[in-house]
Amino acid sequence: MKLKVKIRYFALYRDLSGKSDETMDLKDGSTLDSLLDEVRESHPIFRKQSGEFLLAVNEEYAAPETVLKDGDEVAIFPNVSGG
Amino acid sequence: MFARIQKERIDLSDLIESTRNADSGALVTFQGTVRRFSGDTEVVSLHYEAYEDMALKKMNQIIKDTVDRFGVNDVNVVHRIGDLSLTEDSVVICVSSEHRGDAFKACRHVIDTIKTEVPIWKQDIIASGGKKWH
């Protein structure tokens, strides 16, 4: 079984990926960490990125080992800098 | 208690009046403003971007946690997005409480937490040309 997730990129990572969002098909049981591997595969420029990748699922910060569900919205972004 | 994200300039006096109440003897306001230098780099303006739904959710959590932790009466936060010129307010936090000590501490806590937890980013628009994300 496959699952489909929406990925949103923000700030520097949107500029690097060249898109603000995309959908990705993943294998059942995929984690955020495995999603990140797929993202680095499809956007090789991220492999050179030494900065931190902050991850959120459905608008909450999430750990790399989080198991994704069909329809999740994943956000990938650098360290925040508001204020 | 409220959190807002907006493109428009922040109406400071309106925000202060929204935070004022008869149970509070202290009203503390923090304004984050756009400055000319980012380290050694001269900037002409800043661009702010937010993951708006999550940023609002986080700011509301911070406000609730702050009221619970410091026992203050009210906390309101407005953050700008879009293009901001030098000297403009990028964020304003207003806290009211019975006494000043809790209001100062709570206000400091809110801005410090926003800077580390809320998904908002700034980009320098550099005077000599170019842009740089923080």
Side-chain angles (χ1 to χ4, degrees):
Chain A
M1 196 177 126
K2 282 194 170 183
L3 53 99
K4 195 182 283 283
V5 297
K6 180 180 181 182
I7 307 167
R8 298 183 68 181
Y9 301 98
F10 290 93
L12 175 64
Y13 293 174
R14 186 195 54 249
D15 290 353
L16 291 177
S17 70
K19 53 180 73 173
S20 55
D21 61 75
E22 63 183 326
T23 55
M24 204 170 265
D25 291 322
L26 300 168
K27 284 183 287 188
D28 197 28
S30 292
T31 62
L32 264 182
D33 213 22
S34 59
L35 169 70
L36 213 45
D37 288 340
E38 298 277 346
V39 167
R40 289 193 178 104
E41 191 70 29
S42 54
H43 303 287
I45 195 162
F46 281 133
R47 290 185 204 149
K48 298 176 189 164
Q49 195 57 33
S50 58
E52 197 163 351
F53 285 81
L54 296 185
L55 302 164
V57 177
N58 302 329
E59 302 166 5
E60 293 288 348
Y61 285 108
E65 59 272 19
T66 303
V67 176
L68 295 168
K69 302 185 301 297
D70 189 48
D72 277 347
E73 177 177 292
V74 175
I76 301 176
F77 48 82
N79 281 330
V80 303
S81 57
Chain B
M1 295 186 280
F2 61 78
R4 284 191 207 132
I5 293 173
Q6 64 186 47
K7 285 188 176 170
E8 302 76 25
R9 277 174 174 263
I10 298 168
D11 185 333
L12 182 61
S13 58
D14 183 56
L15 189 58
I16 290 171
E17 292 314 311
S18 298
T19 316
R20 187 188 297 276
N21 57 76
D23 295 322
S24 299
L27 191 53
V28 168
T29 302
F30 172 82
Q31 295 162 258
T33 60
V34 179
R35 64 170 183 265
R36 190 187 312 276
F37 281 94
S38 172
D40 294 333
T41 305
E42 185 175 356
V43 305
V44 290
S45 60
L46 292 179
H47 176 78
Y48 281 85
E49 174 184 325
Y51 179 11
E52 280 193 52
D53 291 342
M54 181 173 169
L56 280 171
K57 196 185 271 190
K58 290 302 296 181
M59 288 202 289
N60 279 307
Q61 283 171 0
I62 292 166
I63 288 170
K64 186 178 178 308
D65 291 347
T66 301
V67 169
D68 290 347
R69 177 170 165 185
F70 296 93
V72 294
N73 291 324
D74 201 6
V75 178
N76 295 311
V77 179
V78 182
H79 203 301
R80 292 278 306 276
I81 53 171
D83 299 318
L84 278 72
S85 304
L86 298 180
T87 75
E88 281 191 79
D89 291 335
S90 54
V91 62
V92 179
I93 298 159
C94 281
V95 179
S96 59
S97 70
E98 196 172 353
H99 301 290
R100 67 187 182 284
D102 291 331
F104 276 118
K105 283 182 204 162
C107 195
R108 175 71 187 252
H109 174 74
V110 172
I111 184 60
D112 287 351
T113 313
I114 284 175
K115 281 179 161 291
T116 56
E117 292 187 8
V118 176
I120 296 176
W121 304 268
K122 65 166 81 81
Q123 186 182 43
D124 292 338
I125 311 301
I126 301 168
S128 59
K131 301 172 180 181
K132 186 186 174 195
W133 285 107
H134 282 255

